[in-house]
Amino acid sequence: MEENIVKTDVLIIGAGPSGLSAAIHLADLFKQNELDKQIIVVDKGQSVGSHILSGAIIKPKVFSELMPDVKKEEIPFNSKVTKDAMYMLTSRTSSFKMPFTPPYMGNQGNYVASLGEICRFLANKATEKGVEIYTGFAMSELLYDEADNVIGAKCIDTGVDHNGEKLENYVEGTGVQADITILAEGTRGSLAKQLIKKKNLHEGKNPQIYSLGCKELFSVPEGTISPGEVYNTMGFPAMQDGVFGGGFIYGLTDNRVALGLVLGLDYADPTYDIFRALQIWKTHPFVEKFVKEGKLLEYGAKTLPEGGFYSLTKYYTNGAMIVGDSAGFLAMPALKGVHLAIYSGMCAAKTALEAFKQNDFSEETLKKYKEFVEKSPIYKEMYKCRNFRQGFSKGTFAGMFNFGTQIITGGAGFCGKLSVKSDAEHTKTIADFKKTTFKQKYASYDLDKPYVFSKVDDVFYSGTLHDEEQLVHLRVKDMQKYVSENIAKYDAPCQYYCPAEVYEIHTDRNTGHKELRIHSENCVHCKTCDIKEPLQAIEWNVPNGGNGPDYKNM
Ligand code: SF4
C-alpha cells in the first residue's frame, strides 16, 4: 500500500457544487496568500456532471461571491424565472391556482438551470485556477493515521468478482493522502456515512430524513411552455396518499420541459412507489398538457436531505470536513440547496486556509468551519425554518398547522426542538398498515398513455451502466433475515421504492419460497435503499469508478 499512495495538500471527493466551490475558493485564497498548494478533486462519475441531478432553480447571488470576476451572463443558467405559480391539484382531474406562493417558495430573481451544466462550468473555472480534477475515480474508504485522524481516501480495488475474490486483472486502489480531506459526495455520501459512524458525528442530532425526487426531461412542441415558466404543484396524488411533497414543472430553452415529483421518504406504506406516483401525477390534466406530445430525453432520480437545521451532522473532525448535501445543508421550505452547498464549500475553503496557515489540521482548527457557517447565509436560512419539516412527519394537516406556527414564531414553534424518526423507522409492516396500500389503490389505474413509462424504460434514459466484473455494490446485510422479515412482513419495500427496478422478488413456483434478486446494473445511485429499507437491511456501497448514470442535462 505504501507504494500505491499519491500525496497532495487538499483532497476533495465529489465534483458537485459544494466540492467545486470549495476548490475554486480555496485556489483563490491560496493565491491571495501566496501559498503554493495542490488541490485535487475526484469524482466517481465518468465526467463532471454525469452524476448531478437537481430541479433546478438557483439563487444567483452566491456566484458573484464565489467568482467576483465572472459576469452573470457567463454562467450557463438556462433562463430567468418569468412566471412562478403554485397549483393545488385537488383530485385526479381538478386543480386551482393558489392565490399566493407559500412563504420561502417565491422564485423572483432566480434562474432555471441544468445543475450538470453549471458544474461543468465550475469545473472549467477550477481548472483554470490550477485545480486538478479527476473523474471516474471512486473512493471506497477513508485513510486514517495511528491516532484515527483522517489522512485521505483510497480508490476502490478493481479486478474482483461478484464475491470480492481477486481475479487475474486485480489492481489495488490508489490511496490519496492529504492534509485536509473534504467530503462533497452529495446525499448520503458513503464515505461521509462511514466517518459519521466512526466518529459519532451525529450524536444528539435528529436523524437525517430525505425525500426522493424522480425527474424527467422532455422535448415538447413549440408553444407548450416558455423558458423560465415555473409551476409547482401540491395535492394529487401524494397528499391524498398522506405523503409529503409535490411536483415541479420548469420551462427550458429549445422547447424542453423538466418535470418531476419530490416526495418525503417518511411514509408508512411499505408498497409506496414514488416513480409510479410520478407517472400517475403526469396523467392529471394540469400536468398532462405539458407532456402529452413530448418526447422523453432523460430520466434520473436522487434523494435530498430534508431534515434541516436539527438534522445537520457535525461537519468537521480531525483532518476532514463535510460539505453540501452530505452534511445536510438544504433549506427545505424553499426547496433549494445549491446556493447553500456553494456557501458550505466556501466556508470549508476559508477554514482550510486557516489550517494551512497554522499548519494544524486538527479539529481544534477545523471547528472554525462552524463559525464560518454560522456567519453565512446558511445559518440564517436554515435556522428560521429549523422545525419546519418535522411537523410534516406527523401528517399533512399537522405539518400545515406547524408551518403556520413556525412563521409566526420565527422558526421556534411552541414546543421547541421537534424530533423525528428515521425514514426507515416510518415504514410499517403490511399487517400494521391499516389503510389501502398504494399497490392496491392504483392497481387498476389507467396508465396506458404515450408519456407514461415503466422503470426499465426510464432507466435506459438515465444512461446508467455498471461493470459486470466487480463486487456487487448493493449488499443485503443478512439475506436469511431479509427473507423472514423484510419480504415476509413488509412485502420487500425495495421492489416498490427503488426508482430503477433494481430489486425483484422471485417466487419459486413449486415451493412458494420468495427470494430477492438484485439487478445492480440498473442503479442510478439515488441511495433510497440505503435510507428507506426497514431494519436498514440494505447497504449502498460505491461501485467501480465511472459506473452509474450518465446524466447530460439534469
Ligand atoms: Fe436507488 Fe438503491 Fe435503486 Fe440504486 S438500488 S437506484 S440507490 S434505490
Side-chain angles (χ1 to χ4, degrees):
M1 184 72 202
E2 286 280 297
E3 295 159 15
N4 201 12
I5 290 269
V6 172
K7 295 203 173 162
T8 186
D9 298 300
V10 181
L11 170 64
I12 300 174
I13 301 169
S18 60
L20 291 169
S21 56
I24 289 171
H25 198 48
L26 189 52
D28 284 343
L29 292 172
F30 281 154
K31 192 172 173 200
Q32 285 158 21
N33 288 272
E34 297 177 356
L35 287 171
D36 183 18
K37 301 288 174 193
Q38 185 187 34
I39 305 170
I40 287 182
V41 178
V42 292
D43 193 276
K44 67 183 170 65
Q46 56 183 277
S47 60
V48 171
S50 64
H51 286 188
I52 296 290
L53 182 147
S54 180
I57 290 194
I58 297 178
K59 290 185 171 189
K61 186 169 168 275
V62 67
F63 289 90
S64 58
E65 294 174 42
L66 176 67
M67 300 174 295
D69 49 335
V70 171
K71 292 196 190 91
K72 205 195 291 172
E73 299 71 50
E74 288 178 55
I75 302 168
F77 295 126
N78 187 281
S79 323
K80 190 165 187 179
V81 175
T82 51
K83 191 171 179 182
D84 183 17
M86 170 71 80
Y87 279 76
M88 177 61 79
L89 312 186
T90 45
S91 73
R92 63 187 286 184
T93 53
S94 57
S95 64
F96 68 87
K97 184 179 173 202
M98 290 176 67
F100 58 89
T101 307
Y104 309 116
M105 287 193 70
N107 283 309
Q108 206 182 5
N110 294 340
Y111 286 80
V112 184
S114 149
L115 191 57
E117 212 173 327
I118 297 284
C119 286
R120 286 190 284 276
F121 173 80
L122 293 176
N124 283 338
K125 289 289 164 201
T127 309
E128 283 168 16
K129 292 171 192 290
V131 174
E132 294 171 39
I133 300 177
Y134 300 98
T135 55
F137 284 84
M139 309 308 270
S140 61
E141 58 188 279
L142 288 168
L143 299 175
Y144 297 93
D145 65 12
E146 315 76 53
D148 257 356
N149 304 318
V150 177
I151 53 163
K154 179 182 162 292
C155 291
I156 194 167
D157 298 343
T158 54
V160 296
D161 69 12
H162 280 204
N163 301 312
E165 296 295 326
K166 292 178 189 173
L167 301 168
E168 269 178 17
N169 57 346
Y170 172 77
V171 180
E172 189 186 9
T174 303
V176 183
Q177 203 171 315
D179 291 326
I180 293 184
T181 303
I182 298 178
L183 301 179
E185 307 165 280
T187 319
R188 193 79 158 190
S190 42
L191 296 182
K193 190 178 154 191
Q194 287 172 22
L195 184 65
I196 289 165
K197 188 172 176 203
K198 185 177 174 89
K199 300 282 181 181
N200 211 8
L201 300 181
H202 215 72
E203 192 180 14
K205 316 277 181 177
N206 276 354
Q208 184 56 272
I209 56 171
Y210 299 84
S211 61
L212 170 64
C214 294
K215 174 181 170 183
E216 292 175 339
L217 180 68
F218 281 85
S219 163
V220 291
E222 194 161 355
T224 305
I225 190 167
S226 300
E229 272 184 49
V230 167
Y231 303 101
N232 284 292
T233 73
M234 291 166 69
F236 177 84
M239 196 181 276
Q240 286 86 336
D241 301 333
V243 176
F244 174 73
F248 65 89
I249 301 162
Y250 302 155
L252 299 165
T253 53
D254 302 324
N255 297 314
R256 292 173 303 152
V257 58
L259 52 83
L261 202 59
V262 183
L263 302 185
L265 288 174
D266 52 348
Y267 56 77
D269 181 351
T271 74
Y272 207 81
D273 183 336
I274 294 174
F275 175 89
R276 195 165 158 84
L278 166 71
Q279 305 307 320
I280 291 164
W281 173 72
K282 284 191 294 180
T283 66
H284 190 286
F286 177 75
V287 186
E288 186 185 42
K289 63 178 182 274
F290 295 106
V291 291
K292 68 180 175 194
E293 291 177 56
K295 182 174 168 291
L296 184 64
L297 298 174
E298 279 196 71
Y299 163 74
K302 77 158 279 192
T303 43
L304 291 82
E306 282 192 345
F309 184 79
Y310 290 125
S311 293
L312 271 176
T313 206
K314 182 181 168 191
Y315 34 80
Y316 55 91
T317 184
N318 292 325
M321 291 182 276
I322 308 175
V323 295
D325 278 0
S326 292
F329 292 118
L330 186 128
M332 175 48 219
L335 288 175
K336 287 171 194 68
V338 176
H339 64 297
L340 300 189
I342 293 175
Y343 279 124
S344 74
M346 292 172 71
C347 291
K350 288 185 184 84
T351 312
L353 175 71
E354 294 290 318
F356 278 100
K357 278 183 173 172
Q358 294 171 30
N359 196 27
D360 176 8
F361 309 100
S362 71
E363 183 168 323
E364 198 44 38
T365 304
L366 298 190
K367 72 182 182 193
K368 289 208 171 66
Y369 178 22
K370 185 164 183 276
E371 288 171 30
F372 286 123
V373 166
E374 287 178 354
K375 283 184 206 145
S376 78
I378 297 176
Y379 183 79
K380 210 172 137 203
E381 284 195 34
M382 291 190 72
Y383 191 69
K384 71 181 176 197
C385 53
R386 58 196 176 278
N387 278 313
F388 170 84
R389 181 62 181 83
Q390 297 94 310
F392 285 97
S393 276
K394 295 169 178 61
T396 308
F397 294 104
M400 293 282 198
F401 175 75
N402 177 61
F403 187 39
T405 66
Q406 291 276 303
I407 291 168
I408 297 164
T409 59
F414 298 128
C415 308
K417 175 185 169 183
L418 297 178
S419 55
V420 279
K421 290 192 288 189
S422 74
D423 294 320
E425 287 171 299
H426 273 280
T427 314
K428 290 190 172 165
T429 61
I430 290 287
D432 287 342
F433 189 73
K434 305 289 182 203
K435 300 178 194 160
T436 309
T437 63
F438 182 92
K439 188 179 166 185
Q440 294 162 334
K441 190 170 172 184
Y442 296 105
S444 59
Y445 213 83
D446 178 18
L447 287 176
D448 187 15
K449 318 263 183 199
Y451 55 82
V452 165
F453 307 105
S454 69
K455 288 182 184 175
V456 174
D457 287 342
D458 259 13
V459 165
F460 175 78
Y461 288 88
S462 72
T464 199
L465 281 175
H466 289 83
D467 299 338
E468 278 267 313
E469 205 175 73
Q470 63 177 311
L471 184 61
V472 177
H473 73 281
L474 302 155
R475 289 169 214 153
V476 176
K477 291 174 190 163
D478 179 342
M479 193 53 96
Q480 225 177 340
K481 192 171 170 202
Y482 192 85
V483 172
S484 64
E485 294 291 321
N486 296 54
I487 296 182
K489 296 181 184 165
Y490 292 90
D491 192 17
C494 57
Q495 65 178 315
Y496 305 107
Y497 63 65
C498 172
E501 193 98 350
V502 168
Y503 300 102
E504 179 197 352
I505 295 298
H506 175 76
T507 308
D508 187 296
R509 261 190 281 166
N510 299 320
T511 63
H513 175 75
K514 292 186 175 185
E515 66 175 26
L516 181 67
R517 292 188 176 172
I518 303 177
H519 304 283
S520 54
E521 66 278 9
N522 282 1
C523 178
V524 294
H525 297 196
C526 72
K527 318 282 179 71
T528 308
C529 49
D530 198 89
I531 294 163
K532 182 62 178 166
E533 187 63 30
L535 315 175
Q536 299 272 261
I538 300 178
E539 188 177 65
W540 188 95
N541 295 275
V542 76
N544 282 357
N547 287 195
D550 185 18
Y551 300 141
K552 307 283 186 215
N553 288 296
M554 298 296 265

Short mmCIF file of all heavy atoms in Angstrom, two decimals, residues 474 497-500 502-503 523-529 540, ligand 1:
data_model
loop_
_atom_site.label_atom_id
_atom_site.label_comp_id
_atom_site.label_asym_id
_atom_site.label_seq_id
_atom_site.Cartn_x
_atom_site.Cartn_y
_atom_site.Cartn_z
N LEU A 474 -24.59 -3.27 -4.03
CA LEU A 474 -25.78 -3.22 -3.17
C LEU A 474 -25.77 -4.49 -2.34
O LEU A 474 -25.85 -5.59 -2.90
CB LEU A 474 -27.03 -3.14 -4.04
CG LEU A 474 -27.02 -1.92 -4.96
CD1 LEU A 474 -27.87 -2.15 -6.18
CD2 LEU A 474 -27.44 -0.69 -4.20
N TYR A 497 -40.00 1.12 -3.85
CA TYR A 497 -39.42 2.47 -3.77
C TYR A 497 -38.25 2.68 -4.73
O TYR A 497 -37.95 3.80 -5.11
CB TYR A 497 -39.02 2.87 -2.34
CG TYR A 497 -37.93 2.02 -1.71
CD1 TYR A 497 -36.64 2.00 -2.22
CD2 TYR A 497 -38.18 1.26 -0.58
CE1 TYR A 497 -35.64 1.24 -1.64
CE2 TYR A 497 -37.21 0.49 0.02
CZ TYR A 497 -35.94 0.48 -0.52
OH TYR A 497 -34.97 -0.28 0.05
N CYS A 498 -37.55 1.61 -5.10
CA CYS A 498 -36.39 1.80 -5.98
C CYS A 498 -36.87 2.36 -7.33
O CYS A 498 -37.69 1.73 -8.00
CB CYS A 498 -35.63 0.50 -6.18
SG CYS A 498 -34.35 0.68 -7.46
N PRO A 499 -36.37 3.51 -7.75
CA PRO A 499 -36.87 4.11 -8.98
C PRO A 499 -36.18 3.58 -10.24
O PRO A 499 -36.28 4.19 -11.30
CB PRO A 499 -36.55 5.60 -8.77
CG PRO A 499 -35.30 5.58 -7.96
CD PRO A 499 -35.39 4.37 -7.06
N ALA A 500 -35.46 2.47 -10.10
CA ALA A 500 -34.70 1.98 -11.25
C ALA A 500 -34.85 0.46 -11.45
O ALA A 500 -34.04 -0.15 -12.14
CB ALA A 500 -33.22 2.35 -11.08
N VAL A 502 -34.22 -2.10 -9.66
CA VAL A 502 -33.04 -2.89 -9.29
C VAL A 502 -33.45 -4.15 -8.54
O VAL A 502 -32.86 -5.21 -8.72
CB VAL A 502 -32.07 -2.03 -8.44
CG1 VAL A 502 -30.99 -2.89 -7.80
CG2 VAL A 502 -31.46 -0.93 -9.29
N TYR A 503 -34.48 -4.04 -7.73
CA TYR A 503 -34.86 -5.16 -6.85
C TYR A 503 -36.09 -5.88 -7.38
O TYR A 503 -37.10 -5.25 -7.72
CB TYR A 503 -35.14 -4.63 -5.43
CG TYR A 503 -33.93 -3.95 -4.83
CD1 TYR A 503 -33.84 -2.56 -4.78
CD2 TYR A 503 -32.86 -4.69 -4.34
CE1 TYR A 503 -32.72 -1.93 -4.25
CE2 TYR A 503 -31.75 -4.07 -3.81
CZ TYR A 503 -31.68 -2.70 -3.77
OH TYR A 503 -30.57 -2.09 -3.24
N CYS A 523 -28.82 0.54 -11.26
CA CYS A 523 -28.82 1.53 -10.17
C CYS A 523 -28.46 2.93 -10.67
O CYS A 523 -27.48 3.11 -11.40
CB CYS A 523 -27.83 1.07 -9.10
SG CYS A 523 -27.69 2.21 -7.72
N VAL A 524 -29.25 3.93 -10.25
CA VAL A 524 -28.95 5.32 -10.62
C VAL A 524 -28.36 6.11 -9.43
O VAL A 524 -28.32 7.33 -9.44
CB VAL A 524 -30.18 6.05 -11.20
CG1 VAL A 524 -30.60 5.44 -12.53
CG2 VAL A 524 -31.36 6.08 -10.23
N HIS A 525 -27.93 5.38 -8.41
CA HIS A 525 -27.20 5.97 -7.27
C HIS A 525 -28.04 6.97 -6.49
O HIS A 525 -27.48 7.96 -5.99
CB HIS A 525 -25.89 6.63 -7.76
CG HIS A 525 -24.92 5.66 -8.37
ND1 HIS A 525 -23.60 5.97 -8.57
CD2 HIS A 525 -25.07 4.39 -8.82
CE1 HIS A 525 -22.99 4.93 -9.12
NE2 HIS A 525 -23.86 3.97 -9.29
N CYS A 526 -29.34 6.73 -6.35
CA CYS A 526 -30.17 7.69 -5.60
C CYS A 526 -30.03 7.49 -4.09
O CYS A 526 -30.37 8.36 -3.32
CB CYS A 526 -31.63 7.59 -6.03
SG CYS A 526 -32.47 6.09 -5.45
N LYS A 527 -29.60 6.30 -3.66
CA LYS A 527 -29.36 5.94 -2.25
C LYS A 527 -30.64 5.64 -1.45
O LYS A 527 -30.57 5.49 -0.23
CB LYS A 527 -28.54 7.00 -1.50
CG LYS A 527 -27.38 7.60 -2.26
CD LYS A 527 -26.18 6.69 -2.28
CE LYS A 527 -25.03 7.28 -3.05
NZ LYS A 527 -24.37 8.38 -2.43
N THR A 528 -31.79 5.59 -2.11
CA THR A 528 -33.03 5.37 -1.35
C THR A 528 -32.98 4.05 -0.57
O THR A 528 -33.45 3.98 0.57
CB THR A 528 -34.24 5.36 -2.31
OG1 THR A 528 -34.19 6.55 -3.09
CG2 THR A 528 -35.55 5.31 -1.55
N CYS A 529 -32.40 3.01 -1.17
CA CYS A 529 -32.38 1.71 -0.47
C CYS A 529 -31.55 1.79 0.80
O CYS A 529 -31.87 1.14 1.80
CB CYS A 529 -31.89 0.61 -1.39
SG CYS A 529 -30.37 1.00 -2.26
N TRP A 540 -25.78 0.59 0.50
CA TRP A 540 -25.26 1.03 -0.80
C TRP A 540 -23.76 1.31 -0.63
O TRP A 540 -23.36 2.03 0.28
CB TRP A 540 -25.98 2.31 -1.23
CG TRP A 540 -25.67 2.75 -2.63
CD1 TRP A 540 -26.40 2.48 -3.74
CD2 TRP A 540 -24.54 3.54 -3.08
NE1 TRP A 540 -25.80 3.03 -4.85
CE2 TRP A 540 -24.66 3.69 -4.47
CE3 TRP A 540 -23.45 4.13 -2.44
CZ2 TRP A 540 -23.75 4.40 -5.25
CZ3 TRP A 540 -22.53 4.82 -3.21
CH2 TRP A 540 -22.69 4.95 -4.59
FE1 SF4 B 1 -31.55 4.00 -5.76
FE2 SF4 B 1 -30.87 1.84 -4.34
FE3 SF4 B 1 -32.40 1.62 -6.51
FE4 SF4 B 1 -29.81 2.26 -6.75
S1 SF4 B 1 -30.64 0.36 -5.97
S2 SF4 B 1 -31.49 3.20 -7.82
S3 SF4 B 1 -29.51 3.51 -4.93
S4 SF4 B 1 -32.92 2.63 -4.60
#
